[in-house]
Amino acid sequence: MSATANGSLTITLDGSNKSSKLPLIQGTLGPAVADIRKIYNDLGIFTFDPGYGATASCESKITYIDGDEGVLLYRGYPIEQLAEKSTFLEVAYLLLNGELPTTAESKDFEDGVLRHTMLHEQLRTFYNGFRRDAHPMAVMCGVVGALSAFYHDSLDITNPEHRRISAFRLIAKVPTIAAWAHKYNIGQPFMYPQNNLGYAENFLYMFNAVPAEPYHVNPILARAMDLIMILHADHEQNASTSTVRLAGSTGANPFACIAAGIASLWGPSHGGANEAVLHMLGEIGHVKNIPTFLEQVKDKNSKVKLMGFGHRVYKNYDPRAKIMQATCHQVLRELGIKDDPLLDLAIELEKIALNDRYFVDRKLYPNVDFYSGIILKAMGFPLSMFTALFAVARTVGWISQWQEMIEDPEQRIGRPRQIYTGAAKRDYVPLAQRG
Ligand code: SDX
């Protein structure tokens, strides 16, 4: 379905006889949008929306979020149902193609992904350029970007076959790249992907196995990893997806665009929040310190944020956080961790914050990052790997959004304007006259 006309919005410039009649457009779900493309020609003015809080940058059919109701749909399917009944690769097919796959389509897609899990041997030596303590996200940015140098045969973004093969290569290789970043950090040999394993299972194998002995992935942990990847796969026009779209709008190749998305995701306000939540819980240290910490958060001058809380769109509980909390208990039980002080602290922190006017009035609820770090830590991942795991899962969302943009007949290079408040035009002053 495409957007449909839904009346118009007329804007009149006070003190002039100028007005602009802007079409209102309605999507399948969500608020109507005013198409402001002709406002500059009609009224000679721009619109101003720092952070794009009220601006639709594109038309998309991939993901829908109702922030007030805490709803998240991938191609119309509720995240709760996909988390319970689907798998990451099936969700990847859905995001890329718009429909759930048939049995034959599913097998073809999984075979396609599994055929591309290995990296070019030259990329192994690429890792040696990093310090051993390089942050995995620095490695992900570098190695994913470097993939552009290995596939000169398929960088024509106007060629659907090149776009398809690039999508398979990126989805298939990011788990290998991330697992190898960890192995490089700890000085262990890289483990090659085993294509008889599932997607999440293969990642856990490459992350944990060593050549010296066989390694069997715990199926409960593999399922938990697969679920965590489903929850992180896509999320509408978030900062990193918008980065990928903006880079892609220039015609840059998909490997460079995904590397740009990884860089954007790294920030602590975005995908870096899962790592920041664990640092925050470590600093709080004990339940008795929560009130003092929250007073610090409420003091704007402290610049301290309650990490894992708040969201630009969700003004209700992030549905992914609810599923993540339930998975937390399941994973800890499976690992025989009776009580995890970090989880106990997080649950108490959430309970206190959700009863505190400051957070309630600002509609600040736990987001996807609040519990994910606790699960990942319990599964043995170092904090520095948390955002890299987010990037592995989000790659299919970025690729789906990039593909949709490239195939959009109305897409053009992204080029925002500005409100200029710098110096008016002035003449150069020679040094001798400047004192
Ligand atoms: C992700 O966009 C996406 O979809 C992202 C994501 C995805 O899947 O791609 O969902 C993943 O990035 C989740 C968010 C992870 N980040 C964090 O957990 C970091 C902590 N959260 C904040 O930095 C913040 O909430 C943001 C960045 C997430 C949202 O920033 P906004 O939109 O600028 O926040 P807001 O407008 O809702 O803030 C309203 C008020 C402000 O105070 P006032 O000026 O009204 O007094 O709430 C305050 C903010 O200062 N506030 C917080 C807060 N978040 C907002 N105060 C304390 N702690 C916080 N976490």
Side-chain angles (χ1 to χ4, degrees):
M1 174 186 179
S2 286
T4 53
N6 183 26
S8 62
L9 168 74
T10 300
I11 294 181
T12 305
L13 210 50
D14 288 349
S16 84
N17 59 355
K18 286 185 178 179
S19 73
S20 177
K21 190 169 183 176
L22 305 172
L24 281 179
I25 310 173
Q26 180 61 54
T28 316
L29 298 168
V33 300
D35 182 341
I36 60 164
R37 281 176 282 192
K38 66 192 194 68
I39 198 168
Y40 182 67
N41 287 340
D42 289 356
L43 302 179
I45 62 169
F46 292 146
T47 59
F48 187 54
D49 183 18
Y52 312 111
T55 297
S57 63
C58 63
E59 178 180 331
S60 180
K61 303 178 190 305
I62 299 173
T63 294
Y64 175 71
I65 302 171
D66 181 331
D68 295 327
E69 297 303 319
V71 169
L72 171 58
L73 309 176
Y74 286 169
R75 298 285 190 178
Y77 294 99
I79 192 68
E80 295 83 357
Q81 294 182 27
L82 293 170
E84 185 190 343
K85 300 170 182 168
S86 189
T87 65
F88 177 74
L89 279 186
E90 183 176 77
V91 165
Y93 181 96
L94 173 68
L95 290 170
L96 283 164
N97 298 289
E99 297 296 337
L100 289 167
T102 61
T103 306
E105 288 165 337
S106 191
K107 175 148 183 11
D108 184 43
F109 181 73
E110 294 198 10
D111 289 349
V113 169
L114 291 175
R115 229 188 340 265
H116 293 283
T117 53
M118 287 175 64
L119 297 184
H120 191 292
E121 277 296 293
Q122 278 306 104
L123 269 170
R124 285 175 60 99
T125 53
F126 191 92
Y127 279 74
N128 294 335
F130 291 101
R131 281 178 30 163
R132 279 286 178 182
D133 61 351
H135 193 288
M137 284 297 277
V139 176
M140 294 281 289
C141 286
V143 177
V144 171
L147 288 175
S148 314
F150 286 79
Y151 298 112
H152 297 297
D153 64 330
S154 56
L155 293 182
D156 173 4
I157 61 162
T158 63
N159 180 330
E161 183 46 30
H162 287 195
R163 295 201 296 268
R164 192 189 68 81
I165 184 73
S166 296
F168 273 121
R169 281 171 169 153
L170 279 157
I171 295 165
K173 294 179 193 307
V174 284
T176 310
I177 292 168
W180 284 16
H182 171 65
K183 287 297 190 185
Y184 186 74
N185 279 159
I186 61 174
Q188 284 188 355
F190 294 153
M191 296 304 290
Y192 285 99
Q194 300 299 306
N195 291 343
N196 61 314
L197 301 179
Y199 189 84
E201 193 183 7
N202 209 354
F203 172 71
L204 291 177
Y205 169 80
M206 291 185 282
F207 185 86
N208 293 301
V210 290
E213 57 196 40
Y215 181 81
H216 174 67
V217 177
N218 176 329
I220 303 283
L221 299 187
R223 174 60 192 140
M225 191 77 252
D226 198 78
L227 170 60
I228 291 168
M229 288 178 170
I230 290 174
L231 297 178
H232 287 81
D234 192 56
H235 213 239
E236 199 206 73
Q237 304 311 318
N238 59 83
S240 53
T241 297
S242 300
T243 302
V244 171
R245 277 182 172 260
L246 196 55
S249 75
T250 71
N253 73 71
F255 304 102
C257 295
I258 299 305
I262 293 171
S264 172
L265 184 74
W266 196 356
S269 290
H270 190 13
N274 50 20
E275 183 177 343
V277 167
L278 268 288
H279 287 305
M280 174 186 74
L281 293 174
E283 280 160 26
I284 296 173
H286 190 278
V287 171
K288 69 179 181 347
N289 301 328
I290 290 177
T292 308
F293 174 76
L294 292 182
E295 283 315 307
Q296 220 187 342
V297 169
K298 296 176 200 174
D299 169 13
K300 293 281 184 193
N301 299 320
S302 74
K303 304 279 184 233
V304 173
K305 294 261 185 199
L306 179 52
M307 300 312 277
F309 258 67
H311 198 278
R312 173 60 55 78
V313 178
Y314 288 123
K315 300 308 171 191
N316 198 325
Y317 218 101
D318 182 334
R320 303 168 297 176
K322 282 183 185 162
I323 301 167
M324 204 63 91
Q325 194 196 59
T327 308
C328 223
H329 290 293
Q330 187 191 14
V331 165
L332 293 174
R333 204 168 36 248
E334 174 59 24
L335 292 171
I337 301 173
K338 289 281 174 288
D339 51 72
D340 179 337
L342 277 178
L343 178 59
D344 297 342
L345 183 57
I347 290 173
E348 188 60 22
L349 176 59
E350 175 191 343
K351 194 163 68 180
I352 296 173
L354 292 185
N355 288 289
D356 183 309
R357 293 295 333 148
Y358 180 91
F359 301 98
V360 173
D361 292 349
R362 290 168 175 78
K363 299 185 179 180
L364 301 178
Y365 292 86
N367 59 51
V368 67
D369 294 303
F370 190 64
Y371 286 105
S372 59
I374 297 167
I375 302 179
L376 296 174
K377 183 173 182 296
M379 292 174 76
F381 292 106
L383 268 58
S384 61
M385 272 301 291
F386 291 2
T387 311
L389 293 173
F390 195 149
V392 167
R394 185 54 57 89
T395 292
V396 68
W398 288 328
I399 280 286
S400 303
Q401 299 270 352
W402 170 81
Q403 200 169 255
E404 182 178 64
M405 179 204 62
I406 296 292
E407 293 165 3
D408 180 349
E410 291 205 26
Q411 86 91 10
R412 47 205 292 249
I413 189 168
R415 203 311 186 178
R417 300 307 302 270
Q418 64 176 12
I419 180 168
Y420 177 69
T421 55
K425 188 178 172 192
R426 52 185 171 166
D427 294 326
Y428 181 80
V429 178
L431 183 59
Q433 294 172 28
R434 283 181 241 150

